[in-house]
Amino acid sequence: MALVPFDDRDGWIWLDGQFVPWRSANLHVLSHALHYGSAVFEGVRMYEGRIFELEAHTRRLFRSAELLDFEIPFTQSEINRACIEACARNGFSDCYLRPIAWRGAEQLSVSALQTRTRVAIAVWEWPKYFDAERIKQGVRLCWAKYRRPPAEAAPTSAKAAGLYMICTVSKNAAERAGYDDALMLDCTGAIAETTGANIFFVRDGALYTPTPDCFLDGITRQTVISIARKAGIRVIETRIEPAELPSFSECFIVGTAAEVTPAGEIDGFRFRPAQLTFDLIERYGAAVRTHLHTVADLVPETA
């Protein structure tokens, strides 16, 4: 199926406080973010008219900007309202939202104190990331070429555009090799995450997941941990070595895009998607449809 280019679509994008026609939402080629990676973003989903964990995503967007040393020139409430209005204006009740903030074109050097922060919110239809058969069998992962940098070397708790460069390289290589995604290690050789999702393993009825000390503690990850614990499932956040893979019976990845997706293989290590994973898929699907966020539900900022 042919891809529809993202710069040539119908619709509206919220840009710097107002809605503009989709094709007019442009930035200059000499924008600082294009050259130096000074951008932060979020991936958010709306289900049946409900935006899941909107406030949490917006809080992280602002925190990411702070970590990259720039300030978003809107309040969190304004961004939340703009997200909801963008869905409504484009006529969506099920869609993906992409808020993004970046440094503009006022200054083009490593120093960026004179740049203006630009902000945009785009929304578009996005079905399941993987088809039903892939969900049933589990996705195939290989090892990524690059490792996640340590927290001492980069702002790893920020959802920063620049930190995804090694993810793109790794995912491209994985797809060329016939895999669905790549699993990244941290700088010490322990398992970290895939190129765009957190990872969980099952052993003796308990969930094991890497401690997020050099990668995002994803909102979907936090949700799945909460759901599991409420269901009486033991969750262990710990260091996981590649050598431990044969000891796990199930594996799945989680993220806003991937939701909860079983993994059937990690570079020759096989897993059989089973009841615990499929139960969490159902529980997560129910959870994302019970968080209603409309303009009327959003309370004004007090901080």
Side-chain angles (χ1 to χ4, degrees):
M1 180 169 55
L3 294 175
V4 179
F6 274 92
D7 61 349
D8 188 22
R9 299 187 177 198
D10 296 324
W12 299 88
I13 290 177
W14 188 90
L15 177 62
D16 296 329
Q18 61 183 349
F19 284 96
V20 300
W22 190 286
R23 294 176 181 83
S24 300
N26 299 316
L27 69 158
H28 198 275
V29 71
L30 295 181
S31 294
H32 191 276
L34 181 62
H35 296 257
Y36 295 99
S38 52
V40 297
F41 68 95
E42 282 296 318
V44 193
R45 272 190 187 263
M46 171 179 272
Y47 297 90
E48 300 174 2
R50 298 166 170 84
I51 300 179
F52 183 65
E53 293 290 8
L54 175 58
E55 291 91 341
H57 281 285
T58 300
R59 284 195 300 270
R60 188 171 65 182
L61 180 73
F62 276 68
R63 175 58 178 159
S64 295
E66 180 183 354
L67 290 169
L68 264 65
D69 195 35
F70 63 88
E71 184 176 348
I72 294 176
F74 299 93
T75 68
Q76 293 186 35
S77 291
E78 288 173 325
I79 296 299
N80 288 335
R81 292 174 183 272
C83 286
I84 293 168
E85 292 169 7
C87 296
R89 183 173 287 249
N90 285 283
F92 293 139
S93 59
D94 289 86
C95 62
Y96 181 86
L97 297 84
R98 174 54 59 88
I100 183 167
W102 70 95
R103 291 186 181 274
E106 292 77 17
Q107 183 179 5
L108 193 60
S109 63
V110 173
S111 173
L113 294 176
Q114 304 305 314
T115 54
R116 179 169 70 96
T117 301
R118 309 288 305 280
V119 186
I121 301 167
V123 303
W124 60 89
E125 290 183 299
W126 193 338
K128 288 285 185 181
Y129 202 53
F130 297 104
D131 61 34
E133 185 59 29
R134 180 61 75 205
I135 295 293
K136 180 180 177 181
Q137 299 297 324
V139 296
R140 300 179 64 236
L141 309 176
C142 62
W143 296 110
K145 174 182 178 180
Y146 292 102
R147 296 186 177 189
R148 271 283 169 222
E152 297 80 8
T156 56
S157 59
K159 194 171 177 66
L163 293 175
Y164 281 81
M165 177 183 66
I166 58 175
C167 299
T168 296
V169 171
S170 299
K171 187 162 176 85
N172 284 351
E175 291 181 348
R176 289 193 188 101
Y179 292 89
D180 298 295
D181 203 348
L183 181 57
M184 309 184 83
L185 303 176
D186 66 18
C187 66
T188 68
I191 290 172
E193 61 175 353
T194 72
T195 62
N198 294 122
I199 193 164
F200 286 80
F201 300 93
V202 178
R203 180 196 293 152
D204 298 328
L207 287 183
Y208 290 77
T209 188
T211 304
D213 51 8
C214 66
F215 54 90
L216 282 181
D217 181 5
I219 291 170
T220 306
R221 177 185 184 275
Q222 296 170 36
T223 301
V224 168
I225 289 175
S226 176
I227 290 171
R229 286 176 172 160
K230 288 178 181 177
I233 301 169
R234 187 181 179 202
V235 181
I236 301 158
E237 299 180 73
T238 186
R239 177 185 176 89
I240 301 175
E241 300 284 354
E244 296 180 64
L245 291 182
S247 70
F248 298 118
S249 57
E250 298 177 57
C251 175
F252 59 88
I253 62 174
V254 304
T256 296
E259 301 174 292
V260 179
T261 298
E265 177 189 351
I266 299 177
D267 203 16
F269 292 98
R270 305 287 180 176
F271 305 93
R272 183 183 296 277
Q275 187 56 48
L276 193 151
T277 297
F278 291 126
D279 180 60
L280 287 173
I281 290 173
E282 290 186 11
R283 290 176 184 272
Y284 180 78
V288 298
R289 289 169 174 80
T290 59
H291 288 68
L292 177 60
H293 295 295
T294 65
V295 172
D297 291 316
L298 297 177
V299 297
E301 266 186 334
T302 57

